[in-house]
Amino acid sequence: MREATEPIRISGIDCANCAAKVERGVANVTGVKEATLDFAGQRLYITYASPDIQEQTYRHVVQRVHELEPDALLQREQDTRDTTEMVFWTRSKKLQTLIGLTSFGIAFLVPESIQIWLYLTAYVFIGNEVLRNALRSTRRGQLFDENFLMMLATIGAFVIGEYTEAVAVMLFYQIGEYFQHRAVNQSRRSISALMDIRPQQAVLEDGRRVRPEDVIPGQRIIVRAGERIPLDGTIKQGTAFLDTAALTGESVPRRVHETDHVLAGTISTDGQLVIEVDRSYTDSAVAKIISLVEQASRHKAPTEKFITRFARVYTPAVVVIALILAVLPPLLLNASFSEWTYRALVFLVISCPCALMLSIPLGFFSGIGAASKRGILVKGGNHLESLQRIDTLVLDKTGTLTKGNFEVVAIQAHTMTKQELLQVAARVERQSNHPIATSIVRAVDGLPSKDGGIHLSEIAGKGVSGEYDGRLLRAGNAEWLKELGFTPDKETETGTYVHITQDQDYLGWIRIADQLKTTTMEAIIQLKKRGIRRIVMLTGDRKQTAEAIGKQLDLDHVIANLLPHQKVEALEELMKTAKGKTAFVGDGINDAPVLTRADVGIAMGGLGSDVAIEAADVVLMTDEPKQLADAMDVARTTRKIVYQNIYFALGIKAIFLLLGAFGIATMWEAVFADVGVTVLAVLNATRLLKIRA
């Protein structure tokens, strides 16, 4: 049966625990096969059991969300109504807090007989929202969220006569929630700013301004200096330097000319371009990239999933311990009931798992954003976590380690100059579409446009021949020429040799080779420094060439002469002996099966490649291998920050729980242990966004 997945914008949920509650609630709606709520990215991803019941099921989803979180606002992608972000500190909330603070302040100035009523007034006005949410959750049988724990602790404080602390705890909890909300929204805005590459409008050739979505392939658009290119296309007029930093992370602009292909999201810095649109906006590279980044957080890392499961067990367990703490010592030790109840209430305030529930997903969210800032697209926190656990790195050769385009690297001429030999070869090769033929023609300076009436004959796998001004020219491999009775020179270097003859004379040879990328050697060195135990190259190229490159790069193993299905088999054998994750890096065009099979599939040069974006877990938007090391650095920094928050939150809470149990910590310290730790953890999680690329 077919499924349908829909992303829905969701706002008005201010805690990660509430988000987890909504996620579980929606997942249980009839007709929903799977639900994932990305709290940091404010997206609810729903997979419906069937497209036929999508609309009906969506209405039930909305109803369920509002039952769990009445303030939540859902918006479908096709919805055009205003979705201005909900303001946490609303005007009515400010007024309620002001009334509460006034009552709280007056309470210190009046006789004790009426203090309780002022404290009660202050408590109700300041904690109105917390109390309302807690009662609503209680009616639905959903206990143990932070609102319930805060209500239980503060009401308990009132019961034992700790009026001042009850009101103060609620006040500082609300203030902490405000700063927490501000920190989360700041991180969301930072992510949005990093991926602010969505074009707003397109200018047609006749001067009309339209939405990019309304432009159809074949139409021409005008892009002026300083403007962002709105759609993928081919330049028909003009030259310019393009700023591609938003897509690739590269700070150096590149020059583009007529006939060059350009991508939406890049910026023309100094020239006006007329571009013929190649594909619609929804099929453009920038649309796919934006969608990829927006959906990345739905694929949660194992650490995130563990923390969610941990919190569901942790909070009820702490409530039970608090109950035992309040009851057993007075019964067994004849201790003060009010004193131990107070300790139990402090214990409850400290126990809220907000710091973990919020900072962990936000850490991965920030890591994905930081990677995108460097031109590295990671499809989820699970893949980001896998990146820092790579033990075996498997690389394709062509297009990954090498440039992927052949170049003339050596010429040996016997009876003429090297340039003349190159021109002879180009005359017979210029009508062929073979990459080797193209590289020879490209290397010739000033080749006459006249072809001398040449008639090309191409022999598959051997070479080409043709007549030029009455003379028979041939260009091909050594085996073919030997069959024809020639004695070609011996091939002593790596690369592809093209031997040239004219009539019955052997003229010499041209050697063609695929060059290493400029950062390949540095990348291999940096990857080994980062602890990659084994680096292997898989290629369909011939063994001699592959081994020469492997030796040059000091690779651990080289396997050559592989067909696509044999690459998969070779990868599976390597995975059996890996001590951690196995990653495969390919160009994303002919390596899709291997990219899919690897623990982590990494596509090189994915800019504009649909296959790369679809097949890979990680897409490196430039052609440079150095981004591999950058990707691992981001992954490891993300892991470091996530674990810092785990140890910090659990460590502080453990200390204060013990202090609370022994009566050393008061409600004031308890508020810091809850809200203060949460705010600090959130700020730590967003540090990744501020690290320079």
Side-chain angles (χ1 to χ4, degrees), residues 347-584:
F347 203 81
L348 283 178
V349 174
I350 297 169
S351 70
C352 290
C354 297
L356 290 173
M357 292 290 291
L358 186 58
S359 65
I360 304 310
L362 193 58
F364 283 103
F365 189 66
S366 298
I368 291 168
S372 69
K373 186 178 179 181
R374 293 159 173 77
I376 303 164
L377 302 183
V378 184
K379 288 189 177 181
N382 53 338
H383 304 307
L384 194 64
E385 194 162 69
S386 294
L387 272 173
Q388 50 84 27
R389 297 172 57 199
I390 294 174
D391 166 76
T392 299
L393 185 66
V394 184
L395 303 126
D396 178 42
K397 180 182 76 69
T398 307
T400 301
L401 298 174
T402 64
K403 294 178 181 178
N405 56 306
F406 292 99
E407 295 179 3
V408 173
V409 294
I411 301 173
Q412 177 65 55
H414 292 307
T415 60
M416 56 184 68
T417 67
K418 293 180 179 180
Q419 186 62 29
E420 288 173 339
L421 179 64
L422 196 59
Q423 288 194 348
V424 170
R427 288 190 179 103
V428 73
E429 294 277 19
R430 68 180 305 184
Q431 293 183 31
S432 172
N433 294 322
H434 194 282
I436 291 177
T438 303
S439 66
I440 291 175
V441 174
R442 191 170 56 241
V444 174
D445 294 325
L447 180 67
S449 58
K450 174 186 174 184
D451 63 11
I454 195 167
H455 300 287
L456 178 70
S457 175
E458 189 160 357
I459 297 88
K462 295 184 177 181
V464 293
S465 66
E467 288 190 9
Y468 182 83
D469 286 344
R471 312 197 73 169
L472 179 61
L473 306 178
R474 298 186 183 89
N477 60 37
E479 287 72 19
W480 180 44
L481 294 187
K482 287 177 183 177
E483 291 175 9
L484 297 174
F486 292 96
T487 306
D489 291 347
K490 186 177 180 181
E491 299 177 2
T492 58
E493 303 289 336
T494 60
T496 300
Y497 282 76
V498 178
H499 298 269
I500 299 98
T501 67
Q502 181 174 273
D503 293 331
Q504 299 304 312
D505 298 324
Y506 177 69
L507 302 182
W509 49 261
I510 299 171
R511 182 161 61 90
I512 315 295
D514 187 5
Q515 300 295 295
L516 286 175
K517 293 177 182 176
T518 55
T519 64
T520 296
M521 181 68 76
E522 179 191 353
I524 298 298
I525 293 170
Q526 292 301 322
L527 288 166
K528 288 187 175 182
K529 284 183 178 178
R530 282 157 178 77
I532 302 295
R533 183 179 63 88
R534 184 171 55 171
I535 301 179
V536 180
M537 182 173 72
L538 301 183
T539 179
D541 206 346
R542 59 181 186 154
K543 186 176 181 180
Q544 182 184 5
T545 301
E547 288 182 345
I549 291 177
K551 184 178 181 180
Q552 184 179 351
L553 294 175
D554 192 25
L555 302 182
D556 297 301
H557 191 37
V558 172
I559 307 175
N561 297 317
L562 296 174
L563 296 173
H565 74 277
Q566 293 174 321
K567 282 188 179 181
V568 176
E569 293 170 359
L571 177 74
E572 289 175 341
E573 288 301 314
L574 291 168
M575 291 174 72
K576 291 177 182 177
T577 56
K579 296 180 180 179
K581 297 288 184 181
T582 301
F584 178 82

Side-chain angles (χ1 to χ4, degrees), residues 39-105:
F39 172 68
Q42 292 186 296
R43 287 286 195 285
L44 174 62
Y45 297 93
I46 302 174
T47 301
Y48 301 96
S50 167
D52 300 332
I53 61 170
Q54 181 169 341
E55 293 305 313
Q56 178 185 353
T57 305
Y58 176 74
R59 289 194 292 271
H60 293 314
V61 166
V62 173
Q63 181 180 351
R64 182 60 174 155
V65 170
H66 286 154
E67 286 176 358
L68 297 169
E69 291 292 324
D71 294 331
L73 175 65
L74 281 77
Q75 179 205 13
R76 305 180 90 168
E77 293 296 327
Q78 66 268 27
D79 207 339
T80 57
R81 69 179 185 271
D82 181 32
T83 57
T84 304
E85 186 174 10
M86 296 183 68
V87 180
F88 180 78
W89 209 258
T90 60
R91 182 176 298 178
S92 62
K93 192 167 183 177
K94 288 178 182 177
L95 180 60
Q96 290 175 16
T97 304
L98 181 60
I99 294 172
L101 281 172
T102 303
S103 301
F104 191 39

Side-chain angles (χ1 to χ4, degrees), residues 620-657:
L620 308 182
M621 299 306 292
T622 69
D623 250 351
E624 298 302 327
K626 67 180 181 181
Q627 281 193 306
L628 283 167
D630 293 340
M632 292 189 66
D633 287 345
V634 171
R636 290 180 177 183
T637 304
T638 301
R639 180 180 183 273
K640 179 181 177 182
I641 288 176
V642 164
Y643 275 81
Q644 280 176 355
N645 281 341
I646 292 174
Y647 296 143
F648 173 68
L650 290 179
I652 294 295
K653 283 186 179 292
I655 291 170
F656 278 91
L657 284 171

